Amino acid sequence: MRLPLITGAFTVAAGGAVLVSLAFGSNSIPLADVFAAVFQHADSPEATVITTQRLPRTLLGLGVGLALGMAGALMQGHTRNPLADPGLFGVNAGAAFAVSCLVYGFGVASSPAVVLAALIGAALAAGVVSLAGLRGGSSRGALVSLAVAATALSAMLSALTTALVLLDKRTLDVMRFWQVGALSDRDYAMVGLVWPLLALGALLAVLNSFSLNSLGLGDDVARSLGTRVRRSRITGIAAVTLLAGPATAVCGPVAFLGLVAPHAARVFARYDQRWLVPLSGLAGATVLLLADTAGRVVAPPGELAAGITMAVVGAPVLLAVSRRRKLVAL
């Protein structure tokens, strides 16, 4: 009964982070007014702030945090690498290159266009890496090939993105805001665009988590236990792409979240991937929402982007976790 109770506690923590995100910012709003705005359609300046600004931002943060946390847990489980994160599939580099091409080649910088371009770029990059890395099978050696292919593709795309940024000031202006990683200036259209993809990715991730326990024992043992290794690998790749691609597209790359959330969940779930994957999602949502809220509170009336806050908080946390080898050994 311990793990269901822990899952309930994580769910409550994520719900509390949602309330904190709705109530706090440059101006604090009482929880009574928050509930009135969300559930009773109250007509007041505070209700307008909640429904038009904070609610879509919070829904987006909830989805992105869940996605990156679950994607990080899947990556670490499949590669058996405690430092793996969603960017290992070239998602971040592919999204950034697609956005820079859109702005440089077509002069388009509207938010929906940027999100769509980043989503396409992330999916294409993840697909190329997956085909290159797993074409030889699903063995441990193929996973090493996957990491090598992802590193090479990411380096190439990052270099091309830098070249486009240096050649065009407009591209530089768009990329320097997108690459920070932020939840600000997002509306319900963005939420409606990415949440269906994130929901599908989360479903695949939960289904895939049931085979990760046997895969962690090695491919040969997993096969002897009845696990279809190649299909599990492909399902994992599809889940990571559907989770990390839209999340990165809509708010830019958020540093450390895909690394820190699985390690935080592993303190409680240990090595049972069936619980670790959803717990990592809940941990990611909680951390991202709190980081975004902290960024709004520390420098009013301005704010720090969530990506900056996550980098400030995530780096020392990851260093502390990495020193406790029993928490990161897979």
Side-chain angles (χ1 to χ4, degrees):
M1 292 297 295
R2 183 179 68 89
L3 286 174
L5 290 176
I6 291 173
T7 303
F10 270 61
T11 304
V12 170
V18 169
L19 292 178
V20 169
S21 178
L22 292 174
F24 294 97
S26 57
N27 294 313
S28 298
I29 299 175
L31 286 179
D33 292 341
V34 171
F35 284 108
V38 175
F39 298 108
Q40 299 176 8
H41 306 289
D43 185 12
S44 66
E46 291 79 9
T48 301
V49 171
I50 293 293
T51 56
T52 63
Q53 298 179 26
R54 293 187 185 178
L55 184 57
R57 183 172 184 161
T58 300
L59 290 174
L60 193 61
L62 180 65
V64 169
L66 282 168
L68 293 180
M70 296 178 79
L74 284 180
M75 286 300 306
Q76 293 174 18
H78 276 286
T79 62
R80 285 168 258 171
N81 179 359
L83 297 180
D85 76 327
L88 183 62
F89 278 165
V91 169
N92 294 348
F97 179 64
V99 171
S100 62
C101 287
L102 174 73
V103 181
Y104 181 83
F106 301 96
V108 177
S110 63
S111 294
V114 167
V115 170
L116 183 59
L119 180 57
I120 294 173
L124 289 177
V128 170
V129 169
S130 303
L131 291 175
L134 295 182
R135 62 183 179 181
S138 56
S139 64
R140 180 68 170 170
L143 295 177
V144 175
S145 299
L146 178 108
V148 172
T151 302
L153 182 64
S154 296
M156 182 187 71
L157 293 178
S158 297
L160 293 174
T161 301
T162 301
L164 294 178
V165 166
L166 293 175
L167 288 172
D168 183 59
K169 182 178 181 300
R170 182 180 177 86
T171 305
L172 172 62
D173 291 337
V174 173
M175 293 301 297
R176 69 191 178 99
F177 286 107
W178 182 83
Q179 286 186 319
V180 168
L183 298 174
S184 57
D185 298 326
R186 303 296 190 265
D187 55 19
Y188 291 106
M190 297 288 185
V191 177
L193 177 64
V194 300
W195 256 101
L197 297 174
L198 298 180
L200 178 58
L203 176 61
L204 288 178
V206 171
L207 294 175
N208 191 235
S209 67
F210 287 87
S211 63
L212 283 181
N213 285 337
S214 59
L215 289 175
L217 301 174
D219 289 357
D220 292 337
V221 176
R223 290 191 184 94
S224 69
L225 294 174
T227 300
R228 297 184 179 181
V229 176
R230 187 175 182 83
R231 187 174 70 175
S232 295
R233 300 289 189 204
I234 294 174
T235 302
I237 291 170
V240 171
T241 302
L242 286 170
L243 289 169
T248 303
V250 76
C251 68
V254 180
F256 293 108
L257 186 59
L259 284 172
V260 172
H263 285 294
R266 194 170 286 113
V267 175
F268 303 96
R270 299 299 179 184
Y271 306 108
D272 192 340
Q273 302 287 344
R274 297 170 300 175
W275 294 95
L276 179 62
V277 170
L279 284 178
S280 297
L282 292 171
T286 303
V287 171
L288 182 58
L289 287 174
L290 293 179
D292 182 54
T293 305
R296 302 200 306 259
V297 171
V298 296
E303 65 178 68
L304 292 177
I308 297 176
T309 311
M310 274 302 309
V312 172
V313 175
V317 169
L318 185 62
L319 288 174
V321 169
S322 67
R323 293 178 62 86
R324 301 181 64 182
R325 298 177 61 88
K326 64 180 182 179
L327 296 185
V328 298
L330 297 179

